[in-house]
Amino acid sequence: MYMRFFRIIIVLVLAGVASPSQAQIVTKMLGKEQQQFNVDSLIHDFDNRPFFGIFKDNYFAVGTALNHQPSEYNSDVKFQISFRQRLTKSILPLHSHIFLSYSQKAMWNIFEESMPFHDLNFNPGIGVLTPIFVKGRLVGSTLIMIEHESNGRDGEASRSWNKISFAGSAYMNRNLMLHAKAWIPIIDGQQNKDILKYSGIFQGGAQFISNNRRWVADVTFVKRQGWNFSFNTIINVGFRIREKDNQFLMLHFYDGYGENMLDYNKYHCRLRLGLLIRPSFFSDF
């Protein structure tokens, strides 16, 4: 049943991928040309894009621990499926729109007997996104979301929390985007009352895209609770397989706590290699 569900989700995600022409629209909006663009026409272009599409990065990667001898117990497959459905066009104040999102992350122990799923994390949400224009150029965006995240289990293995998230992105140019996100937690899971100590209270990072759009790289630091320099670190490097596709070979590195909800309070340092599917524009985090 799990595999059938995942196949359906992957087909839906691929159906919502932005086309190269839509990517050109965004590049135009970010361009440094002296020509001034009419914001209303840019918003019209945006509203004509598909309502359904990728949200966060979608990936499928296999790897192992770097801080221990590799074994079937610390080597696995990690994958994420993420998409959103825009509910409105840019009809709210400041050209904002409302959307639904759904992300699902899985830790799959494929090297163990019977290949069990170690943990599945479900992350639905609803949000309002507002683009920021300066002199006809798109220079950033703000995002307010209500999110739920849980692993769908009961008893001692149950993990869940809710967040009211505030995020912002600054598009420095067509190659570099800076992003930050903070949240107000509402912790309802009885087995993860201390989750902020491990999964953090805010995050920040940067994403880079090469001039030829073949290379992407991003780094995200998640600040854990406390007055110290304790961070979870996530680094991705991707190479576009074919020039006009949005599929990349990806190197994925995770160091810290909170990689999945079941093991939120356990330290992981893992390197994985796999396939990345991402938007034509910068990703969300």
Side-chain angles (χ1 to χ4, degrees), residues 10-116:
I10 290 171
V11 169
L12 289 175
V13 169
L14 291 175
V17 170
S19 67
S21 61
Q22 292 153 4
Q24 291 168 3
I25 291 173
V26 176
T27 300
K28 177 182 177 182
M29 295 164 74
L30 285 174
K32 288 187 175 181
E33 298 88 345
Q34 295 301 315
Q35 179 183 1
Q36 300 299 301
F37 299 108
N38 182 274
V39 172
D40 289 338
S41 67
L42 296 178
I43 292 297
H44 177 74
D45 287 336
F46 174 81
D47 285 340
N48 286 334
R49 297 169 63 191
F51 272 58
F52 181 87
I54 293 176
F55 184 37
K56 302 177 183 178
D57 285 346
N58 290 257
Y59 57 82
F60 187 97
V62 59
T64 190
L66 296 181
N67 58 330
H68 293 96
Q69 182 71 24
S71 71
E72 65 269 31
Y73 301 108
N74 59 22
S75 304
D76 62 7
V77 162
K78 177 182 179 182
F79 64 86
Q80 178 171 277
I81 297 163
S82 182
F83 56 87
R84 65 177 154 195
Q85 172 70 31
R86 187 154 43 96
L87 299 180
T88 68
K89 293 188 175 182
S90 305
I91 58 175
L92 300 179
L94 303 176
H95 306 292
S96 304
H97 67 268
I98 302 173
F99 66 90
L100 290 173
S101 69
Y102 178 79
S103 299
Q104 181 171 308
K105 182 169 58 180
M107 316 300 292
W108 188 9
N109 294 342
I110 64 169
F111 298 104
E112 295 184 23
E113 187 177 356
S114 80
M115 298 189 295

Side-chain angles (χ1 to χ4, degrees), residues 69-278:
Q69 182 71 24
S71 71
E72 65 269 31
Y73 301 108
N74 59 22
S75 304
D76 62 7
V77 162
K78 177 182 179 182
F79 64 86
Q80 178 171 277
I81 297 163
S82 182
F83 56 87
R84 65 177 154 195
Q85 172 70 31
R86 187 154 43 96
L87 299 180
T88 68
K89 293 188 175 182
S90 305
I91 58 175
L92 300 179
L94 303 176
H95 306 292
S96 304
H97 67 268
I98 302 173
F99 66 90
L100 290 173
S101 69
Y102 178 79
S103 299
Q104 181 171 308
K105 182 169 58 180
M107 316 300 292
W108 188 9
N109 294 342
I110 64 169
F111 298 104
E112 295 184 23
E113 187 177 356
S114 80
M115 298 189 295
F117 280 94
H118 179 67
D119 200 30
L120 295 173
N121 299 165
F122 309 94
N123 180 206
I126 183 170
V128 177
L129 186 145
T130 303
I132 301 174
F133 292 93
V134 175
K135 297 181 179 180
R137 287 184 57 233
L138 177 65
V139 298
S141 64
T142 62
L143 176 66
I144 300 176
M145 284 192 69
I146 299 174
E147 302 180 69
H148 171 77
E149 188 174 19
S150 66
N151 65 351
R153 299 195 184 189
D154 56 13
E156 294 296 318
S158 175
R159 309 281 189 269
S160 68
W161 65 332
N162 306 286
K163 294 183 286 187
I164 302 175
S165 302
F166 305 88
S169 298
Y171 310 131
M172 310 308 292
N173 51 51
R174 67 189 298 268
N175 302 105
L176 179 63
M177 182 265 283
L178 306 179
H179 60 87
K181 180 179 180 181
W183 46 85
I184 300 173
I186 305 171
I187 303 172
D188 55 352
Q190 297 301 311
Q191 310 302 326
N192 54 270
K193 291 295 187 180
D194 60 346
I195 193 170
L196 295 183
K197 292 171 57 179
Y198 302 96
S199 295
I201 53 177
F202 67 86
Q203 68 181 44
Q207 183 174 119
F208 172 80
I209 305 176
S210 64
N211 280 327
N212 62 7
R213 321 309 280 178
R214 297 299 295 270
W215 288 94
V216 297
D218 60 72
V219 57
T220 301
F221 298 103
V222 182
K223 177 64 180 73
R224 300 195 292 268
Q225 188 180 50
W227 297 101
N228 51 41
F229 290 97
S230 56
F231 293 88
N232 301 327
T233 304
I234 309 159
I235 299 174
N236 294 314
V237 178
F239 175 74
R240 192 187 299 270
I241 298 174
R242 288 184 293 270
E243 185 176 355
K244 294 185 178 180
D245 288 346
N246 69 330
Q247 301 174 37
F248 296 76
L249 291 176
M250 177 187 71
L251 196 64
H252 174 72
F253 172 74
Y254 192 99
D255 180 78
Y257 297 85
E259 186 174 25
N260 63 80
M261 294 210 67
L262 182 64
D263 298 334
Y264 75 93
N265 56 0
K266 296 180 180 179
Y267 173 75
H268 289 161
C269 181
R270 293 186 176 175
L271 183 67
R272 299 179 177 89
L273 178 67
L275 178 69
L276 166 68
I277 303 172
R278 61 179 307 279

